[in-house]
Amino acid sequence: MTALPADDGKLTKRREFLGRLGSVAALASLSPASVAQAGSATAAAACLLTPAATEGPFYLGDARLRSDIRDGRPGQPLRLRLTVVDADRGCIPVPGALVSIWHCDAEGSYSGEDGPHDTTRFLRGVQQTGADGAATFLTIYPGWYRPRAVHIHFKVLLANAEVLTSQLYFSDALNREVLGNHPAYRTRGAPTRGNTQDPIAGSNPPLVRVRSATDWLDGEFVAGIARVARTG
């Protein structure tokens, strides 16, 4: 298994994340059969456009450029590979996009949520997609809080424009298994709401495909973007 990129410690600028939801474009996710080939999406892949999801109240625009976003938070290690593809051009990989993710810890808390004096930034990070369109993060499996199901927030920026804001989910069965058995989640236990009861997820939430590895869970998701403008 290849090593994750080193943390370069740089801070992104808030202005790089051009505003909130407003002009966010639609997003697409590959069908389950296509997700298995996340790193090599081809013109034959089937993309399904779905609406963008709300940013939520806990977004911060100063996440660090880094792959390991754990900052010592306890929980089930999760390696998340998010591949960005162009839904309008046969799902070809999109290199050079900025992918930002953020989520709560095992106890349901977000970093920075206690006001301007809270400078912690655990479980937040930004990565640039490579030639294969992929950005990889080492994090922990998210916890939960009412009234939400287990989820991860993410944004995609391309050429200084925000093109996608959405949220990722995990199967209810996996949520029960991880949060019901790992000691870091013991205080809260398994979530009280499934995906279909979540007020944002809808009837067909975008699910991360997860498989077990030696020391962590490996998660994959392929997000297709509809580009706002084109040149050439």
Side-chain angles (χ1 to χ4, degrees):
M1 193 168 290
T2 57
L4 289 170
D7 179 357
D8 60 17
K10 295 179 182 177
L11 293 178
T12 60
K13 303 289 187 181
R14 183 175 295 271
R15 64 175 177 271
E16 293 179 32
F17 289 87
L18 308 178
R20 301 251 171 184
L21 214 50
S23 61
V24 174
L27 67 96
S29 60
L30 290 182
S31 63
S34 300
V35 175
Q37 302 299 326
S40 57
T42 67
C47 288
L48 302 175
L49 287 172
T50 57
T54 179
E55 176 183 276
F58 301 121
Y59 171 69
L60 298 174
D62 59 357
R64 298 166 63 190
L65 284 165
R66 58 181 183 162
S67 56
D68 188 340
I69 65 173
R70 294 172 296 176
D71 291 321
R73 304 311 275 197
Q76 169 61 53
L78 170 69
R79 177 171 165 158
L80 178 64
R81 176 185 172 94
L82 202 157
T83 301
V84 180
V85 299
D86 189 333
D88 293 338
R89 294 182 175 177
C91 297
I92 60 173
V94 178
L98 286 179
V99 178
S100 175
I101 73 168
W102 68 101
H103 63 84
C104 71
D105 65 9
E107 296 181 352
S109 297
Y110 285 86
S111 60
E113 68 176 309
D114 292 331
H117 300 296
D118 183 356
T119 59
T120 58
R121 293 295 182 267
F122 59 82
L123 306 180
R124 298 179 184 271
V126 179
Q127 282 284 282
Q128 188 173 49
T129 59
D132 58 356
T136 302
F137 297 88
L138 183 58
T139 184
I140 63 167
Y141 204 89
W144 63 276
Y145 53 93
R146 293 183 178 89
R148 299 299 313 280
V150 176
H151 63 283
I152 291 177
H153 299 262
F154 76 99
K155 283 181 182 286
V156 177
L157 289 92
L158 186 63
N160 295 321
E162 182 181 301
V163 295
L164 174 121
T165 297
S166 193
Q167 300 181 28
L168 301 177
Y169 299 85
F170 300 85
S171 75
D172 290 334
L174 184 60
N175 289 335
R176 289 191 296 269
E177 179 182 346
V178 174
L179 276 66
N181 293 291
H182 193 285
Y185 309 90
R186 191 165 292 156
T187 13
R188 298 184 63 80
T192 57
R193 285 181 181 244
N195 291 329
T196 57
Q197 298 170 306
D198 184 272
I200 294 171
S203 58
N204 188 28
L207 296 179
V208 178
R209 287 175 61 90
V210 179
R211 64 181 185 274
S212 294
T214 305
D215 299 315
W216 53 69
L217 297 177
D218 263 324
E220 290 186 353
F221 184 79
V222 179
I225 61 171
R227 299 199 186 196
V228 177
R230 303 186 179 282
T231 59

